[in-house]
Amino acid sequence: MSETVYFNGAYVPYEQAVVSVEDRGMLFADGIYEVVRAYGGRFFHIEGHLERLVTSAAEIRLPLPSLDELRAAMAGVFERSGLRDASVYVQVTRGHPGPRAHALPVRATPTCFAVARPVPAPDPMHVAHGAAAVTIPDRRWHMCHVKSVGLLLNSLAKQAALDAGAQEALFVRDGVLTEGSATNAFSVTNGTLRTHPDGPHILPGITRQVVLELAERLGISVRQQAVPLADLYAADEVFVSGTNSEVLPIVSVDGRAVGAGHPGPVTRRLAEAFRDATRA
Ligand code: PLP
């Protein structure tokens, strides 16, 4: 069965969702996106994702279709997919207003598409026993809070992690941990959870926000404070969070064991609380 894609106002077979070679998303990475999870037939924190899409659009002066249209498109592809658990991708670019030109077009009709996909099951070994990470210099721009389709450095970082036999890359900028290639990053030292503060150097992850709220509810002490690389190496626990990764324990960084080399108690509590929240 061919996938159904929402494409500029219509539901079409995958093969018919085709963009111009001069779409600004392709020429300038002039576009933004969101990935929303559905569990058991229902979206998880879709409003947070839509809010972030609006913020991203405002930051790059991108006119968005209405939120009602986006919500309906995401629900539409999800329903048509027949899936109960899915990852729904939605992307908006500035379209193809004419021959390639740097300046923003006076009038642009956005190119918008959405598709629902099954979520690859996380490797049970990594969920139970933790994954490995490597650090990578963070050479990305200073607008990481925008969920831009310009992900080349994230993509190269992820590949560098895989090449090193690890599963995730952790970006380090000015000596501190910012975030993962497709995740936010947390460390735990003496029971205190730390994660980089919001700002231009991280994406304000929806999963990160859920984790912070769960930590507060569980009485875990939390600091939104940058973690220097030396503290990361010395941390008792490290984990990453993301829509598709959920809460993933990291048990080695750059080949050094984190704490005792297995998922620690704070990570396990938060991972369990997160799983419960997705079932609620
Ligand atoms: N940081 C980056 C760079 C990401 O690409 C992602 C997700 O794609 C995240 C963090 C996690 O964000 P969320 O929890 O909203 O998926």
Side-chain angles (χ1 to χ4, degrees):
M1 186 186 79
S2 165
E3 280 172 315
T4 298
V5 175
Y6 171 86
F7 184 57
N8 294 338
Y11 293 96
V12 299
Y14 181 82
E15 298 70 26
Q16 286 174 27
V18 179
V19 297
S20 161
V21 289
E22 289 200 295
D23 192 282
R24 285 183 62 98
M26 207 164 95
L27 297 178
F28 299 110
D30 186 355
I32 54 175
Y33 73 106
E34 278 297 329
V35 182
V36 183
R37 275 296 291 272
Y39 294 94
R42 291 173 57 184
F43 284 123
F44 188 65
H45 290 273
I46 187 171
E47 293 308 317
H49 285 279
L50 289 173
E51 252 172 55
R52 187 172 62 187
L53 194 70
V54 169
T55 308
S56 294
E59 287 283 8
I60 67 164
R61 302 166 63 176
L62 175 72
L64 270 188
S66 76
L67 288 189
D68 283 347
E69 180 181 338
L70 291 168
R71 235 183 250 114
M74 294 169 84
V77 290
F78 179 45
E79 275 161 34
R80 285 166 172 79
S81 74
L83 297 165
R84 301 280 297 156
D85 293 320
S87 190
V88 176
Y89 181 91
V90 60
Q91 176 177 309
V92 185
T93 74
R94 211 178 307 260
H96 50 102
R100 181 179 184 276
H102 282 65
L104 298 184
V106 178
R107 259 189 308 280
T109 306
T111 301
C112 176
F113 83 92
V115 65
R117 293 257 158 77
V119 188
D123 186 326
M125 272 291 286
H126 296 145
V127 174
H129 304 293
V134 292
T135 60
I136 302 276
D138 195 345
R139 298 198 183 95
R140 297 174 303 158
W141 65 343
H142 297 279
M143 287 175 66
C144 297
H145 59 299
V146 173
K147 201 161 169 66
S148 158
V149 296
L151 289 171
L152 181 57
L153 290 177
N154 303 63
S155 175
L156 290 170
K158 179 73 170 185
Q159 189 57 48
L162 297 179
D163 291 348
Q167 288 74 48
E168 179 56 310
L170 299 176
F171 285 119
V172 174
R173 192 194 289 260
D174 298 330
V176 303
L177 169 65
T178 51
E179 62 179 344
S181 74
T183 54
N184 290 109
F186 296 78
S187 70
V188 181
T189 299
N190 295 329
T192 296
L193 184 63
R194 282 200 287 171
T195 192
H196 196 286
D198 278 327
H201 294 151
I202 67 159
L203 185 76
I206 304 303
T207 321
R208 170 181 178 274
Q209 188 55 38
V210 173
V211 166
L212 290 173
E213 285 165 17
L214 290 172
E216 199 167 313
R217 209 177 304 156
L218 293 172
I220 296 165
S221 117
V222 176
R223 284 210 198 117
Q224 292 194 42
Q225 184 186 65
V227 175
L229 183 58
D231 291 10
L232 176 67
Y233 286 151
D236 302 322
E237 303 180 36
V238 174
F239 66 88
V240 293
S241 72
T243 293
N244 282 338
S245 305
E246 302 180 329
V247 173
L248 180 68
I250 298 293
V251 292
S252 84
V253 176
D254 293 339
R256 306 158 190 239
V258 174
H262 51 74
V266 175
T267 306
R268 279 192 275 110
R269 278 176 79 198
L270 286 168
E272 197 182 311
F274 184 81
R275 263 192 303 276
D276 290 346
T278 64
R279 289 197 200 106

